[in-house]
Amino acid sequence: MLKISIKRPALILDENKCRMNIIRMAEKARKHHLRFRPHFKTHQSAEIGEWFRDYETEAITVSSVESARYFAQSGWDDITIAFPVNIREIDEINQLAAKIELNLLVVMPETITVLEGYLLNPVGIYIKIDTGSRRTGILPDDEKKINDILERLESCPNLQFKGFLTHAGNAYSADSAEEIAVVHRGVLRDLCQLKEKYRDRYPGLELSMGNTPTCSIMDEFEGIDEIRPGNFAFYDVMQAELGACRYDQIAVALACPIVARHADRNEIVIYGGAVHLSKDVLRREDGSRCYGKVVSLTDSGWSQPLPDTNLRSVSQEHGVIRTSAASFDMFRIGDVIGILPVHSCLTADLMKCYTTLDGWQIAMMKT
Amino acid sequence: MLKISIKRPALILDENKCRMNIIRMAEKARKHHLRFRPHFKTHQSAEIGEWFRDYETEAITVSSVESARYFAQSGWDDITIAFPVNIREIDEINQLAAKIELNLLVVMPETITVLEGYLLNPVGIYIKIDTGSRRTGILPDDEKKINDILERLESCPNLQFKGFLTHAGNAYSADSAEEIAVVHRGVLRDLCQLKEKYRDRYPGLELSMGNTPTCSIMDEFEGIDEIRPGNFAFYDVMQAELGACRYDQIAVALACPIVARHADRNEIVIYGGAVHLSKDVLRREDGSRCYGKVVSLTDSGWSQPLPDTNLRSVSQEHGVIRTSAASFDMFRIGDVIGILPVHSCLTADLMKCYTTLDGWQIAMMKT
């Protein structure tokens, strides 16, 4: 049992595991002479942000202007908003750029026209390159578009070209560490070719890459200047299944009261559903689904995932766990069990607060 | 274009459509002599709750103790918590039961033991019957378990047996209005048989049923005393595809700025993702997915869904719309478009606030 009392679903954070995850990634960055610019979209918490400072983090990544404002208020003064510029927030961007070193992502020439017309202070500009995820960005061999953007940037004194940035979202479709390595090396090749091509014109040009699977698994970063993983601070079931972490490195678990038991089908119903965990899901080849792994809560945290036990469905507030006949009797009405989330970023975003193993509340950005 | 200015994703609520949806369902309840006990888990808003009072709603359903407390503070004094009793919240249940008429759901005999020991004031008890959804509840032919619970209830003066309650969640797996009718008639048959069996012993015994698909489509409620639909206040793409509503009855749309365009694949990237819409999804037979339908925003609301245009993927903050070559040019950087959510309950829960067509903010319960 946890040392603290839980009445409703609560997101339990193991600070030691989280700090170990931060140290490990900060060390890897240092070893490879990379700027460590962790993505704070996962934890969204000023207080957890301070833990990163303990390991000499000075620059961060966020995914929205709102989030940049929140962390700027906590003293972060070098922030990249790793999301295509939303020109409707130009006033907020101006306010931020007056106070901190702000980097923006450009994928569209139209965006530059607006920035040129309205920006009052200098910002750094990364050109977003699509190295295979096909979400957004310019294809690395689309020389015409890249040159078009670079040309426009040269006539805008407030838009300082910093380099090329990519997010290899396709690493999440990989089935193994080997496939992640293939994705990673493709990204390295694409980015390094761009650096080669443009370094004479832009000697300071930097390459920014990296998500949690590639940064956790890989040890090749030749030519890269900066990494921006985020999820690694907590990890989750998806990362464990990709091979990016071990289960005992996952730093958050949703504590859920048990409210019903169905012996005829070895099912347990918990108070904990889509409004707590999100509907992110792992689909198995046999058609079954996993909305989270089930752990026992202990006074020092939680166990490894229980065998033959799976959160098979969630609705708004309910979760249904299927277990084995052998394990069924360990689940009792009113007990609290833990769920390791499939996708910790979305679970944290929903829960809006962490509870440490000692019962402290850690606040997050309110939106 | 909307009359109001949108900077970031905002959940736009068309009050007229919502009120029409409420009137239609309240009228149906009146016509069939049913108590209308709408589920407030969809809107989670005291202010929207007041709209229901305008159509003589006096009793409501919620899915958590927290939510019951919130609505009790707004003067609702007859509330059913349609979720298996979470005995860890017994103190909060006691506080509520001292103030309002509170109904609880029992599925487990163990729960009664705790209620018997700790409850200080009378509450109404519904026995949850599983009429096919296999989430939770007692099977209608499990006479032994039902009798066991009824026997225990008789020795507890604070636990007043009210009747049988079901949620036909399996209606959501239906592929047509005909299949929903089959589910609905099965529920009616199961519940009415129970009423028949127990009405001599419990002459006041009531039957409570109903979710949005069955209550929207069906017109047979013989023997039923109360309906508890919730989603109908807003409806959504899932309901429209089930045949429970027309697209022009959906009362909420997520307004999203356009941040990138990819002409080579007719794709549009919006600021609007899983943290705004949720990851609820409709999967098509061809393997494609729909995370929402795309509409044009107008000064009086929004259009019908645009043809050949689909929100095909979402990540944390991004959404990717696939459209046709013919429609591609209508989407411009900085424009705002609307997304009809797949599941409006989860979208509302994430957005935590509504914006009316006139630009008023409507608050929701904060958790």
Side-chain angles (χ1 to χ4, degrees), chain A residues 4-273:
Chain A
I4 53 173
S5 168
I6 297 293
K7 292 189 168 206
R8 286 175 290 277
L11 188 57
I12 311 296
L13 171 59
D14 184 326
E15 179 175 341
N16 285 339
K17 285 185 183 177
C18 180
R19 283 186 178 268
M20 287 305 297
N21 293 340
I22 297 170
I23 292 173
R24 206 178 313 110
M25 196 62 85
E27 276 303 318
K28 186 178 251 191
R30 196 158 18 234
K31 179 178 147 200
H32 292 281
H33 310 291
L34 299 161
R35 184 186 308 112
F36 185 42
R37 189 187 283 281
H39 207 313
F40 277 14
K41 72 174 181 169
T42 303
H43 61 78
Q44 295 183 48
S45 161
E47 186 169 340
I48 297 175
E50 294 306 306
W51 302 354
F52 285 77
R53 282 201 222 267
D54 295 345
Y55 314 107
E56 291 163 40
T57 306
E58 292 178 349
I60 66 169
T61 308
V62 299
S63 53
S64 68
V65 175
E66 246 180 324
S67 183
R69 284 159 67 104
Y70 169 79
F71 284 109
Q73 279 164 13
S74 298
W76 294 95
D77 58 7
D78 183 354
I79 302 182
T80 297
I81 303 176
F83 190 85
V85 174
N86 171 24
I87 57 178
R88 294 189 155 251
E89 291 179 291
I90 188 71
D91 294 343
E92 289 80 0
I93 290 170
N94 267 325
Q95 289 163 16
L96 272 168
K99 287 201 299 189
I100 65 165
E101 278 186 57
L102 184 69
N103 297 311
L104 302 177
L105 242 63
V106 163
V107 287
M108 306 300 299
E110 296 97 306
T111 311
I112 299 176
T113 311
V114 176
L115 291 175
E116 187 180 12
Y118 293 93
L119 210 60
L120 304 171
N121 292 287
V123 299
I125 296 289
Y126 282 93
I127 297 180
K128 174 83 185 280
I129 301 297
D130 178 355
T131 51
S133 77
R134 297 296 177 272
R135 186 171 65 182
T136 189
I138 300 170
L139 297 178
D141 56 3
D142 192 343
E143 206 168 332
K144 189 177 164 306
K145 207 175 269 172
I146 293 171
N147 286 335
D148 180 27
I149 288 181
L150 287 171
E151 214 164 282
R152 285 172 180 244
L153 289 177
E154 281 184 1
S155 63
C156 308
N158 276 338
L159 303 181
Q160 301 169 342
F161 176 57
K162 285 283 186 85
F164 299 105
L165 176 150
T166 190
H167 173 76
N170 44 331
Y172 285 95
S173 316
D175 276 331
S176 64
E178 291 68 38
E179 281 184 39
I180 287 172
V182 171
V183 169
H184 179 74
R185 289 181 191 128
V187 173
L188 275 184
R189 189 189 56 234
D190 286 344
L191 287 184
C192 289
Q193 281 173 0
L194 283 169
K195 197 177 201 175
E196 201 52 46
K197 196 187 283 178
Y198 290 99
R199 75 188 319 167
D200 287 346
R201 234 163 101 193
Y202 302 96
L205 131 67
E206 292 195 351
L207 300 179
S208 174
M209 74 176 296
N211 52 24
T212 287
T214 57
C215 290
S216 298
I217 293 171
M218 302 304 298
D219 250 312
E220 306 159 28
F221 296 92
E222 191 68 31
I224 301 302
D225 299 285
E226 168 179 289
I227 55 169
R228 307 182 324 280
N231 177 282
F232 72 93
F234 295 161
Y235 286 122
D236 53 32
V237 173
M238 201 186 298
Q239 300 289 348
E241 296 212 351
L242 282 168
C245 68
R246 299 190 313 264
Y247 278 105
D248 63 10
Q249 292 170 327
I250 298 175
V252 288
L254 187 75
C256 299
I258 293 174
V259 295
R261 305 164 81 238
H262 296 286
D264 55 325
R265 47 188 193 267
N266 296 317
E267 285 187 352
I268 307 295
V269 182
I270 56 172
Y271 180 10

Side-chain angles (χ1 to χ4, degrees), chain A residues 1 5-8 41 44 63-64 66 83-89 91-92 107-108 110-111 130 134-137 139 257 259-262 264-265 267 269-271 274-275 279-280 283 312 315-318 320 333-336 345-346 349-350, chain B residues 1 5-8 41 44 63-64 66 83-89 91-92 107-108 110-111 130 134-137 139 257 259-262 264-265 267 269-271 274-275 279-280 283 312 315-318 320 333-336 345-346 349-350:
Chain A
M1 286 290 287
S5 168
I6 297 293
K7 292 189 168 206
R8 286 175 290 277
K41 72 174 181 169
Q44 295 183 48
S63 53
S64 68
E66 246 180 324
F83 190 85
V85 174
N86 171 24
I87 57 178
R88 294 189 155 251
E89 291 179 291
D91 294 343
E92 289 80 0
V107 287
M108 306 300 299
E110 296 97 306
T111 311
D130 178 355
R134 297 296 177 272
R135 186 171 65 182
T136 189
L139 297 178
V259 295
R261 305 164 81 238
H262 296 286
D264 55 325
R265 47 188 193 267
E267 285 187 352
V269 182
I270 56 172
Y271 180 10
V275 297
K279 276 221 160 174
D280 232 327
R283 285 170 180 259
R312 75 162 182 83
S315 39
Q316 187 158 344
E317 312 265 357
H318 298 73
V320 179
I333 297 294
D335 279 0
V336 178
C345 307
L346 297 188
D349 178 75
L350 280 159
Chain B
M1 286 289 288
S5 167
I6 297 292
K7 293 189 168 206
R8 287 175 289 278
K41 72 173 182 170
Q44 295 183 46
S63 53
S64 68
E66 246 179 325
F83 189 86
V85 174
N86 171 25
I87 56 177
R88 294 191 155 250
E89 292 180 290
D91 293 343
E92 289 80 0
V107 287
M108 307 299 301
E110 297 97 306
T111 311
D130 178 356
R134 297 296 177 272
R135 185 171 67 181
T136 189
L139 297 179
V259 296
R261 303 164 81 237
H262 296 285
D264 54 324
R265 49 187 192 267
E267 285 186 352
V269 182
I270 56 172
Y271 180 11
V275 296
K279 277 220 158 174
D280 231 327
R283 287 172 178 257
R312 74 161 184 83
S315 38
Q316 186 157 345
E317 311 265 358
H318 299 74
V320 178
I333 298 293
D335 278 0
V336 177
C345 307
L346 297 188
D349 177 76
L350 279 160

Side-chain angles (χ1 to χ4, degrees), chain B residues 20 85 121 175 199 263 288 305:
Chain B
M20 287 305 297
V85 174
N121 292 288
D175 276 331
R199 75 188 321 166
S288 69

